[in-house]
C-alpha cells in the first residue's frame, strides 16, 4: 500500500532537511581514535551493542588500515559513503526537506500573490494536512521548484539556516538536526580517525544538506553529494553571484548514486551505508571492487525508540525508505550487513 | 587573427592531457612547510624570483593563517583553485588532451571500420597536419565524442594511462606531464602546507585530468573539477560498471567555472589562479567574497624558455590561452596579480 507521500516523488528530487544550533551532540562523541587497534580496545562505537554489525565495522577497518594486511587500502583510496535519510537521521513519516519546502510556501506566495489561488499552493496554504499529504507527484515538484530555485545561493543558504533554528520535528519536538543517529556519527568518526574520507551521498538536495553538514556531521560541503540543480552565474550591481536554476543536473538516487559518486568523487567507495532500495546500486558499485569492502543497510525495526517500517522481516510497508524483500534477499546473498536498530544500537539519539 | 584550433572549440569541451612515469618532479619539491612564517624564512617558492607576484602569495598566506590577523580564514574555508592548461602546464600550441583524442582515432576506426572514409576521421587518419589543424568545431566535437565516450570508465582510464607513458610533446620530446610549471607546484605545496585544499578547475575533461592528478600534482581525483559528461550505470556479467555517455553535464569554462565550483566544492575559493579569459569569471567570483582574496593570472611572455602569446603588452594573439586586453585591464583595475613567466619565474620546469 502506498503512503501519503509516494517514495518515488521524494527520491527523485531535491528534497530532505534539517537543524538547530545546540551543540548537544558533541558532548557524547568520543575523541578521534589514533588507530583501529587502539580504537577497538578503547571502546570505539560505544553506542553499538556487540554483535555481527559492530564486528563487521571493526574487522573492515582493521583489514584496510593494517599495512601487513593483504586487504590494506592506500589512504588516498579510503572513501566511505553514507546515504542520509533513514541512514543518518530520521526520515519518517516525511523527509525533513519536504517539510522545509512546505513551510516556505507562504513566503513564496507573499512574493507572488497570484499563486494564492493556484494549486498546489492553495492546498498547502489551507493547512489541511490530509489534503497536503495527498498531493500528486507533479504538484510536489511544483512546490520543490518554487521553493528551492529562483533565488541566489546565498539567499537559499540563509533561508535554510533560519528554518533549521526554528523548525521542530512533530514527534520529538526537537530541531530536525537533533534526530541524527548517534551510532552512525560514531561510525563516521571512527572511519575518519582511520584515514577514511566520509561522504554523504543523498537523494536529498545537495545545497540543502551542505548548509548543516559541517556542523552536524563534521562533513565539509565538498563531501556532500546529492541531487543537484544547475546554477547560473550573473552580476548584481557589478558583483558576481549564482542563481539556483530549475534544471536538474544529477538525480542522486538509485543508479544516480554511483553516477554521482563518479562525478563528484571519481573513485568507488570501499564502504557504503544505506537503508533502502534507493541505495542498492551504490552498495553494488561499492561491492564490485577488489579487496575489503563493507556494505551495510540500516533496518528500521524499532517502533518504540524510532520507527518500524519496511517489508523485510514482515514489517509493514512504508511511504519512505522502502527496504524491499528483494533488497533484503540480495543483502543476505552478497553478505552485506543488515543493521537492526533494535538489537545493534544501544542508543539511537545523543539526547537520550 | 584566429589560429589553427579556435579557442572556442577547445574551451568548451572535454579536452586536455598528460603524463609519464618518471618521478623526476618530486626531487625538486621542497618539504611541506609547517607554517607560513617558517616557510617564508626557510625559502618557500624557491623557483620564484623576489618581486610583487611572490610577495602577493606570501602576504596572502600570512594574512589568512595567522590567528591574530583580521583576515584569518578558518581551515575548512581555505580553498584554492587552479586552472590547468597554461596555468599549471604547457597548453601551446595545442592542448594535450586534443592530442590524446587525435591519437585515439586509429583505434576508434579499427573498432568501427566504416568511419575510415568518413570525415573528420578520414582527415585525421591522413596524418596531414595542416588539414587536421583546419578541422571545424563540429568536426572536432565528433572526434571528442568518438574518443572520450562510449566506453567504460575503467577502459577510458586504462587508455589514458597507457597514452601518458608513451606520448611525447613535440618541442621538448618529453612526456606531457613533465611540462608542469615548477613554480606552480611550489605554490600548491605551499598552500597545502598552510591548510588550504588545492583544486584543479579546468575546461579540460574531468575524467582525463583525474587519471594523473594525484601522481603529478598530488591532487586526488575528488579535487579535480572539469568539463564533465554523464555516465550510465549498468551491469556486465552481473558486475556493475559505468559507461561514459556523450551527454555534457558541466562545461567548466568561463561562467561554467564558478558554476562548477559551486556544484563540486560548494563554497567560493579564497585564492584562484588562471591564465586566460576562460578564467575571468572564476577570478571575479573569488574576488567577490570578503576578507583576504588572491587572484593571479599567468602571462606567457617567455618565448625562449616557453612561449609568448596573448595580446596583453602587445604580444601576438594566439589560438589557445587567449588573455585579452580587456582581462588585462580588469586585472590591473581590480588589483589582481599578473605573473610574468619571464620575470617572476627563476625556473619553468623541474627538468631544467
Amino acid at each position: 500500500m502506498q503512503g501519503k507521500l509516494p517514495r518515488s516523488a521524494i527520491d527523485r528530487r531535491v528534497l530532505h532537511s534539517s537543524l538547530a544550533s545546540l551543540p548537544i551532540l558533541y558532548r557524547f562523541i568520543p575523541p578521534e581514535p589514533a588507530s583501529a587497534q587502539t580504537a577497538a580496545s578503547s571502546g570505539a562505537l560505544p553506542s553499538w551493542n556487540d554483535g555481527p554489525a559492530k564486528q563487521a565495522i571493526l574487522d573492515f577497518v582493521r583489514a584496510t588500515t593494517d599495512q601487513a594486511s593483504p586487504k590494506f587500502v592506500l589512504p588516498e583510496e579510503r572513501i566511505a559513503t553514507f546515504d542520509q535519510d533513514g541512514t543518518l537521521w530520521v526520515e519518517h513519516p516525511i523527509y525533513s526537506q519536504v517539510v522545509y519546502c512546505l513551510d516556505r510556501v507562504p513566503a513564496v506566495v507573499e512574493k507572488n500573490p497570484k499563486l494564492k489561488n493556484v494549486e498546489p499552493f492553495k492546498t498547502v496554504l489551507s493547512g489541511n494536512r490530509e489534503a497536503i499529504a495527498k498531493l500528486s507527484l507533479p504538484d510536489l515538484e511544483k512546490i520543490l521548484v518554487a521553493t528551492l530555485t529562483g533565488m541566489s545561493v546565498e539567499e537559499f543558504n540563509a533561508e535554510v539556516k533560519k528554518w533549521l533554528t526554528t523548525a521542530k520535528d512533530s514527534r520529538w519536538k526537537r530541531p530536525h538536526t537533533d534526530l541524527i543517529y548517534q551510532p552512525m556519527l560514531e561510525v563516521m568518526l571512527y572511519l575518519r580517525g582511520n584515514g577514511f574520507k566520509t561522504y554523504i551521498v543523498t537523494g536529498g538536495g545537495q545545497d540543502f544538506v551542505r548548509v548543516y553538514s559541517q556542523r552536524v556531521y563534521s562533513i565539509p560541503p565538498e563531501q556532500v553529494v546529492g541531487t543537484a540543480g544547475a546554477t547560473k552565474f550573473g552580476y548584481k550591481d557589478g558583483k558576481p553571484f549564482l542563481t539556483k536554476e530549475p534544471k536538474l543536473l544529477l538525480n542522486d538516487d538509485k543508479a544516480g548514486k554511483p553516477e554521482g559518486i563518479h562525478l563528484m568523487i571519481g573513485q568507488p567507495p570501499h564502504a557504503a551505508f544505506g537503508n533502502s532500495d534507493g541505495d542498492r546500486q551504490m552498495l553494488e558499485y561499492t561491492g564490485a571492487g577488489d579487496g575489503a569492502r563493507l556494505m551495510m543497510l540500516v533496518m528500521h525495526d524499532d517502533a518504540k525508540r524510532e520507527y518500524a517500517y519496511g517489508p523485510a522481516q514482515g514489517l509493514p510497508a512504508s511511504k519512505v525508505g522502502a527496504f524491499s524483500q528483494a533488497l533484503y534477499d540480495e543483502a543476505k546473498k552478497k553478505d552485506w550487513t543488515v543493521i537492526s536498530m533494535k538489537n545493534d544500537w544501544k542508543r539511537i539519539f545523543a539526547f537520550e
Side-chain angles (χ1 to χ4, degrees), chain A:
Chain A
M1 198 191 120
Q2 275 294 35
K4 299 173 193 174
L5 284 164
R7 170 72 171 173
S8 59
I10 297 167
D11 270 339
R12 299 185 161 281
R13 294 292 147 181
V14 187
L15 314 189
H16 304 210
S17 133
S18 293
L19 169 342
S21 53
L22 309 176
I24 277 182
L25 294 173
Y26 300 104
R27 273 192 270 140
F28 299 90
I29 299 175
E32 306 242 352
S35 76
Q37 281 72 16
T38 55
S41 54
S42 73
L45 310 179
S47 300
W48 291 71
N49 289 315
D50 290 336
K54 178 176 178 176
Q55 199 57 48
I57 300 165
L58 296 174
D59 289 349
F60 169 78
V61 169
R62 197 171 299 116
T64 53
T65 57
D66 177 357
Q67 295 223 27
S69 158
K71 293 181 171 180
F72 177 75
V73 174
L74 291 171
E76 62 262 34
E77 292 170 4
R78 292 184 198 161
I79 304 282
T81 56
F82 295 80
D83 168 58
Q84 183 184 232
D85 293 280
T87 299
L88 296 180
W89 74 350
V90 174
E91 65 180 349
H92 205 80
I94 178 171
Y95 296 120
S96 301
Q97 189 175 348
V98 175
V99 180
Y100 170 77
C101 293
L102 295 172
D103 284 354
R104 285 292 301 158
V105 166
V108 166
V109 172
E110 197 179 359
K111 265 200 169 178
N112 186 359
K114 276 181 292 183
L115 294 177
K116 199 174 170 181
N117 296 307
V118 176
E119 291 297 356
F121 305 98
K122 193 178 163 186
T123 293
V124 176
L125 289 173
S126 77
N128 181 333
R129 285 178 168 241
E130 277 187 38
I132 292 170
K134 280 178 191 155
L135 287 173
S136 69
L137 172 54
D139 275 345
L140 266 177
E141 283 178 7
K142 277 179 204 160
I143 292 165
L144 301 186
V145 167
T147 54
L148 300 176
T149 71
M151 71 291 287
S152 75
V153 165
E154 286 187 5
E155 285 163 352
F156 175 77
N157 290 350
E159 283 301 336
V160 175
K161 222 174 242 178
K162 197 172 72 182
W163 180 82
L164 290 171
T165 60
T166 54
K168 297 255 160 70
D169 169 83
S170 57
R171 174 169 160 188
W172 285 275
K173 315 293 179 204
R174 285 177 169 273
H176 294 270
T177 47
D178 273 13
L179 303 180
I180 309 286
Y181 306 135
Q182 175 64 20
M184 295 306 287
L185 283 180
E186 292 168 6
V187 172
M188 291 197 288
L189 198 66
Y190 180 53
L191 286 169
R192 286 197 295 267
N194 284 283
F196 281 83
K197 282 184 190 156
T198 52
Y199 281 81
I200 292 173
V201 177
T202 173
Q206 183 167 283
D207 284 352
F208 189 84
V209 179
R210 282 174 169 179
V211 173
Y212 56 85
S213 64
Q214 178 73 49
R215 183 173 55 78
V216 173
Y217 301 115
S218 301
I219 288 181
E222 66 267 24
Q223 288 175 12
V224 175
V225 180
T227 294
T231 57
K232 194 174 167 57
F233 181 84
Y235 303 88
K236 194 176 179 178
D237 304 328
K239 196 183 162 190
F241 74 106
L242 296 168
T243 302
K244 287 171 67 65
E245 297 281 290
K247 183 190 163 194
L248 190 66
L249 285 184
L250 172 65
N251 177 3
D252 197 47
D253 190 45
K254 299 189 169 70
K257 290 208 173 191
E259 292 163 7
I261 287 169
H262 176 70
L263 176 68
M264 307 283 293
I265 310 178
Q267 56 181 324
H270 275 263
F273 301 77
N275 79 306
S276 82
D277 289 17
D279 304 310
R280 181 168 67 84
Q281 289 87 343
M282 176 169 75
L283 269 64
E284 290 174 344
Y285 182 61
T286 303
D290 298 330
R293 304 278 162 168
L294 179 66
M295 282 69 67
M296 302 192 89
L297 286 165
V298 175
M299 185 169 63
H300 295 260
D301 58 358
D302 194 333
K304 196 167 158 249
R305 295 189 299 171
E306 202 241 11
Y307 293 103
Y309 55 96
Q313 310 205 318
L315 297 169
S318 165
K319 52 212 154 245
V320 293
F323 185 158
S324 70
Q325 187 63 45
L327 179 65
Y328 188 83
D329 293 345
E330 182 173 353
K332 290 291 156 192
K333 190 179 154 201
K334 294 185 172 169
D335 221 15
W336 299 349
T337 304
V338 175
I339 299 164
S340 161
M341 292 180 76
K342 192 174 176 179
N343 300 320
D344 289 317
W345 288 359
K346 223 175 265 180
R347 180 172 56 199
I348 307 260
F349 303 114
F351 59 77
E352 287 174 346

